[in-house]
Amino acid sequence: MSNTKAMAEKLAEYVCDLRFVDLPERVVETTKVAFLDWLGNAVVGSQMPPAQIVSRVLAAQGVQEQQATIIGSLGLEKPLKIVGDRRLRATALWATLVNGSSSHIIELDDVHKASIIHAGTVVIPASLALAEHLHSSGRELIEAIVVGFDTCIRIGEAVTPAHYQYFHTTGTVGTFGAAAAAAKLLKLSVDETCHALGTAGTQAAGLWEFIETGAMSKHLHSGKAGYNGLLAAMLAKEGFTGALEILEGKRGFMNAMASSFDESKVLDRLGTRFTVLENCYKIHSSCRHTHHAIDLVIQLVSEHDLDPEEIQRIEVGTYQVALDITDNPNPTSVYDGKFSIQYCTALAAVKRRAGLDEFIEENLNDDIVRDILGKVRVFVDTDANERYPEKWGARVTIFTVDGQKLEALTDYPRGDFENPVSVEELKNKFTSLVKRYLDETVINELVSRSLSIDDLSDVSTFFNSIG
């Protein structure tokens, strides 16, 4: 190491020094809630076609190593294999890939606003798989998740929003978070952790082009970022070296992958500001950039008890990035609909909900929803655009056939840490998601174990005797 410490070294020192006993109680409790929310997404996502494809590829490679649990099953018609001895296990690397991909499918996973990253879908599956393999304690798992969040979110903040124009932050900076979490569990030294971050950075990838056709690549981003970060830490433990100035170097991550960036955000208040506390949770099953519009439309149609035939048009003003990602007036698939602010607005106006049960083929082709879809107009709202990415705001105006002009605005969609949903609501969200696959006894046990995981002496027992 040189006399001038690289950013990676300072991050590595933080990763190595953090101890569970020094974490504020609120950080611990929030991390457990994040784990539960991630698990619900992973359970349901594991039954969707993209995760099933990844699982089948895994099965073809053989699963002789029994290191970590694969949350889903292998065949589309098979039940979940997380019950007792019937659950499927594989290497920690493969478990991370499959479980990470599974948790980023139904569009109900967590998000951090300023960094625009779904940190849980990368950091948690990598941490869980490795903790199972190493027989780590629940407290060690929490330590890993906390440092993983702090690492990837801070790097994400430094390069946002320029990086986000072409790169899906979850797939890119998420790799650093997984590497930091794995380094913590592997008890790497500061030097080894630096090398892990260096090797993680050279693997950081994830392009937005998938959105043009609704391709499955997005789901792979989270799984592969977790896999790559975990691989980087495992390699570092064996002496594999990585670029030490991977972040700020002249050919490093920030210079290569962002036209503008703010280095100071990487280390600002490191060790005193815990970014997991800023995590936001989804209650609508769509891209987070559509949630403000959904909230406001549901609010207005409910307050005024509007029927669809009473709506003349709907105007949605929001920040430019939201439109860059979700301006799609004619979605052709359910997945397209999740990334269409026009469709999400119309769905909310007609169904007054936008959960997993609402994003179905029947509603996509519903004549009433399609009629409202044609009445939605979107534009860049100057105020919302100036406040982004700290605030993900929108203004919605509904014009009725009888001449009313109904308006509402927000800076904080429901589930933001400034506009939070309660732990009880998130427990209910978990139940509503997984009840289609798991019975009540199993659900209650998973909730209980998730919210008391810091009491677990061996994470490898987390799924034991479920049900």
Side-chain angles (χ1 to χ4, degrees):
M1 294 285 178
S2 66
N3 291 329
T4 302
K5 291 183 179 179
M7 289 185 190
E9 184 179 2
K10 294 180 181 179
L11 284 170
E13 289 174 343
Y14 166 67
V15 170
C16 293
D17 289 345
L18 182 129
R19 295 291 179 267
F20 179 89
V21 293
D22 298 323
L23 292 174
E25 181 180 356
R26 184 163 166 250
V27 172
V28 174
E29 296 305 311
T30 302
T31 304
K32 292 187 289 186
V33 170
F35 180 90
L36 176 67
D37 195 70
W38 168 80
L39 183 60
N41 279 273
V43 167
V44 180
S46 73
Q47 299 304 285
M48 303 300 163
Q52 295 288 326
I53 292 170
V54 177
S55 296
R56 286 198 294 271
V57 171
L58 160 65
Q61 311 310 306
V63 289
Q64 292 83 7
E65 294 294 329
Q66 304 288 298
Q67 296 177 348
T69 302
I70 302 295
I71 287 175
S73 60
L74 292 180
L76 285 172
E77 302 303 321
K78 293 181 180 179
L80 286 169
K81 291 188 176 179
I82 64 169
V83 180
D85 294 335
R86 293 191 296 115
R87 73 181 188 275
L88 177 68
R89 294 172 66 82
T91 65
L93 284 167
W94 269 106
T96 297
L97 178 61
V98 177
N99 294 339
S101 298
S102 297
S103 62
H104 196 41
I105 292 175
I106 63 173
E107 292 297 331
L108 277 163
D109 46 324
D110 68 350
V111 66
H112 182 270
K113 290 183 297 182
S115 58
I116 325 179
I117 182 176
H118 304 276
T121 66
V122 180
V123 172
I124 296 177
S127 300
L128 176 62
L130 186 57
E132 282 192 86
H133 173 41
L134 298 175
H135 299 276
S136 304
S137 70
R139 292 187 172 197
E140 290 172 318
L141 174 62
I142 288 174
E143 289 175 349
I145 294 171
V146 169
V147 299
F149 268 67
D150 280 343
T151 299
C152 63
I153 285 173
R154 289 167 175 280
I155 297 170
E157 287 177 328
V159 297
T160 297
H163 178 74
Y164 197 67
Q165 182 176 359
Y166 297 107
F167 295 100
H168 184 210
T169 325
T170 301
T172 55
V173 301
T175 311
F176 291 104
K184 185 65 176 175
L185 288 165
L186 287 166
K187 299 180 173 24
L188 299 189
S189 68
V190 171
D191 281 4
E192 290 169 332
T193 302
C194 285
H195 289 301
L197 292 172
T199 300
T202 204
Q203 299 178 88
L207 294 168
W208 269 112
E209 184 63 20
F210 71 82
I211 205 168
E212 299 299 325
T213 58
M216 295 178 182
S217 306
K218 182 175 190 280
H219 317 313
L220 187 63
H221 289 174
S222 54
K224 198 59 165 53
Y227 180 104
N228 289 344
L230 178 53
L231 176 64
M234 288 178 164
L235 289 171
K237 185 174 179 62
E238 298 302 319
F240 196 89
T241 62
L244 299 182
E245 294 189 351
I246 190 63
L247 294 173
E248 71 273 37
K250 63 182 179 181
R251 285 175 286 195
F253 179 80
M254 289 190 285
N255 278 307
M257 300 179 76
S259 58
S260 62
F261 52 85
D262 183 352
E263 291 185 8
S264 68
K265 292 185 177 181
V266 177
L267 303 174
D268 180 46
R269 291 172 289 155
L270 184 63
T272 60
R273 171 202 169 206
F274 297 100
T275 56
V276 70
L277 295 176
E278 303 162 7
N279 217 24
C280 303
Y281 299 96
K282 289 185 175 184
I283 56 172
H284 308 307
S285 185
S286 59
C287 175
R288 184 64 172 179
H289 295 301
T290 68
H291 284 211
H292 43 33
I294 294 172
D295 285 345
L296 295 174
V297 169
I298 292 174
Q299 174 189 327
L300 289 172
V301 298
S302 299
E303 285 179 356
H304 299 276
D305 197 23
L306 289 180
D307 292 327
E309 59 268 21
E310 297 179 86
I311 297 173
Q312 182 184 74
R313 75 178 187 276
I314 304 176
E315 294 182 354
V316 179
T318 186
Y319 47 92
Q320 182 65 59
V321 169
L323 300 187
D324 290 342
I325 303 300
T326 68
D327 184 3
N328 179 3
N330 186 34
T332 57
S333 69
V334 171
Y335 191 69
D336 275 351
K338 290 172 179 277
F339 284 84
S340 165
I341 196 169
Q342 293 93 333
Y343 176 74
C344 290
T345 297
L347 185 67
V350 176
K351 301 299 180 181
R352 302 188 184 185
R353 287 178 54 85
L356 192 60
D357 292 336
E358 282 67 51
F359 282 92
I360 56 176
E361 287 286 343
E362 180 181 348
N363 288 338
L364 180 70
N365 300 311
D366 182 87
D367 290 339
I368 299 175
V369 174
R370 282 283 168 179
D371 179 62
I372 298 297
L373 175 62
K375 298 177 179 180
V376 178
R377 303 289 181 267
V378 300
F379 64 94
V380 174
D381 181 270
T382 303
D383 290 340
N385 201 47
E386 289 177 352
R387 292 191 292 267
Y388 179 81
E390 285 74 22
K391 299 177 180 180
W392 293 23
R395 180 188 306 271
V396 168
T397 307
I398 298 179
F399 296 86
T400 67
V401 295
D402 64 0
Q404 295 183 77
K405 179 183 176 181
L406 311 173
E407 189 172 72
L409 69 160
T410 187
D411 281 327
Y412 305 114
R414 284 200 67 214
D416 275 18
F417 70 95
E418 300 94 343
N419 183 16
V421 291
S422 67
V423 174
E424 196 63 32
E425 287 176 285
L426 290 174
K427 287 165 64 176
N428 290 338
K429 171 189 170 182
F430 178 86
T431 299
S432 68
L433 286 176
V434 304
K435 67 183 181 182
R436 65 202 75 206
Y437 302 114
L438 304 174
D439 65 39
E440 184 177 358
T441 301
V442 172
I443 292 171
N444 291 338
E445 189 63 29
L446 287 174
V447 171
S448 175
R449 293 185 185 190
S450 295
L451 297 182
S452 61
I453 201 166
D454 50 326
D455 295 329
L456 200 61
S457 61
D458 183 349
V459 173
S460 71
T461 66
F462 181 85
F463 292 107
N464 282 2
S465 304
I466 290 291

